Amino acid sequence: MQRKAYVPGVAALIAALLAGCTGGGALGGEADDSKPGETGTTTAAAEPGKYRTLREPCSQVETGTLDSMLPGLREMTDEEQREKAYEGVPTVTYDTDRRVGCRWKVESSDATHHLLVDFERVVSYDTAVSDDTRATEVYSSKVQKAHLPEPSATVPVDDEQEEGSDTAEPSEDAASGADKSGKGDEKDSGKGAGDADDSASGGAPTGAATPPGLEPRALEDLGDEAFLDDALTTAASATRHRTVTVVFRTSNVIVTIEYDEQPGRRTDIPDSKEMQDKAQELAGTLADKFSE
């Protein structure tokens, strides 16, 4: 009978395979103790924000609101020019998925008005920080830049001041309404040197100072958090213009409204309350649109 040849290499291969089957199943010889369905110690990612896209801003301001805030629109006789003015001009941004805006500039016989609406969608690139948390941080930085006065800045009026209210002097903050960033050039009465004669003749401009209660402040019942800023400044032409800014956050979107009025005459000063009311009304409308 013929014997089969013995091949040492085959025996070595079989031994190696047997050793592998009885050893650890994981790479590196470490046993895999994880159970099916377990994720180990992996931390769950923070929740994304409510908003994944942004609205087109130029179409969000209604015609009636534009008529009220930009009175020069109604004075335009050229129909094509008026229609174009209503449309607004989109602001230039590098990522319309993250930030969009629209601005209007209209001149009337009495003043020039500017309106800006800006939408910013905040996204957190840290998986441990939610979009809403990051948006809160961005909003807080805007509040700090606005230098809002402390809520307790209002000085109460005592009995003696009430009796002699005609001669009582208001506090500097209450009289000026200018924030502490120095944006208001006139910190007392809001009148320039050339306005003294107007006061003497009974033609003193109104709205020069921000009235008490209308100073820059935090706003309630608008989005998740909101604030208003009001600044009166003097332009190079010696005319004074007022800028009212309303900023509010709704989830991971921050909305900014800037409303500016510059009168055509140096003696005219925009009315603070009227401008604030219009800006806040627009802000409320936009907040409702985002909540739809």
Side-chain angles (χ1 to χ4, degrees):
M1 180 180 296
Q2 185 177 4
R3 297 182 179 180
K4 295 181 180 179
Y6 176 73
V7 183
V10 174
L13 178 60
I14 294 174
L17 291 174
L18 291 175
C21 292
T22 58
L27 293 177
E30 298 179 359
D32 185 4
D33 295 330
S34 62
K35 297 179 181 179
E38 290 185 349
T39 58
T41 59
T42 303
T43 303
E47 292 187 6
K50 177 181 178 180
Y51 302 103
R52 304 295 184 89
T53 59
L54 288 171
R55 292 174 173 267
E56 197 287 310
C58 291
S59 61
Q60 300 305 304
V61 186
E62 299 175 357
T63 301
T65 301
L66 291 174
D67 286 338
S68 175
M69 301 183 77
L70 310 170
L73 287 170
R74 294 180 297 231
E75 298 180 6
M76 292 184 177
T77 56
D78 188 303
E79 183 176 352
E80 183 177 353
Q81 183 182 7
R82 184 171 63 251
E83 183 178 349
K84 186 176 181 180
Y86 274 112
E87 293 176 354
V89 179
T91 57
V92 178
T93 60
Y94 296 100
D95 186 356
T96 55
D97 189 52
R98 293 286 305 280
R99 190 163 194 170
V100 292
C102 189
R103 64 175 67 250
W104 293 261
K105 177 183 178 182
V106 181
E107 296 181 1
S108 67
S109 57
D110 298 325
T112 299
H113 292 83
H114 298 80
L115 175 63
L116 168 68
V117 173
D118 181 88
F119 301 154
E120 179 181 1
R121 187 174 70 91
V122 181
V123 177
S124 173
Y125 292 102
D126 186 346
T127 56
V129 179
S130 68
D131 292 347
D132 280 21
T133 299
R134 177 59 184 147
T136 301
E137 295 172 352
V138 175
Y139 172 84
S140 297
S141 69
K142 294 180 180 292
V143 174
Q144 293 177 0
K145 290 180 180 178
H147 298 281
L148 301 184
E150 294 296 332
S152 59
T154 303
V155 178
V157 179
D158 56 28
D159 294 337
E160 293 182 1
Q161 288 178 320
E162 288 181 350
E163 293 177 358
S165 58
D166 292 339
T167 59
E169 292 293 334
S171 65
E172 182 180 84
D173 289 340
S176 67
D179 61 25
K180 297 179 181 178
S181 63
K183 287 188 294 184
D185 290 84
E186 305 294 337
K187 280 186 171 291
D188 44 10
S189 66
K191 295 190 297 181
D195 295 329
D197 293 339
D198 294 329
S199 178
S201 61
T206 60
T210 303
L214 295 178
E215 300 91 346
R217 62 198 181 276
L219 299 176
E220 298 181 356
D221 301 325
L222 180 59
D224 295 324
E225 49 189 344
F227 73 87
L228 178 148
D229 196 8
D230 188 324
L232 181 67
T233 57
T234 303
S237 59
T239 59
R240 275 161 290 183
H241 68 276
R242 187 182 298 277
T243 302
V244 173
T245 304
V246 175
V247 180
F248 71 88
R249 180 183 69 84
T250 171
S251 186
N252 63 316
V253 168
I254 297 175
V255 177
T256 301
I257 298 169
E258 290 184 2
Y259 183 37
D260 182 279
E261 178 180 334
Q262 180 171 334
R265 295 181 298 180
R266 182 175 60 84
T267 54
D268 292 342
I269 299 177
D271 183 80
S272 181
K273 185 178 186 306
E274 181 181 2
M275 293 184 64
Q276 288 191 22
D277 287 346
K278 291 180 179 180
Q280 290 185 78
E281 183 178 356
L282 173 57
T285 301
L286 294 178
D288 291 341
K289 288 179 179 291
F290 271 96
S291 63
E292 291 175 354

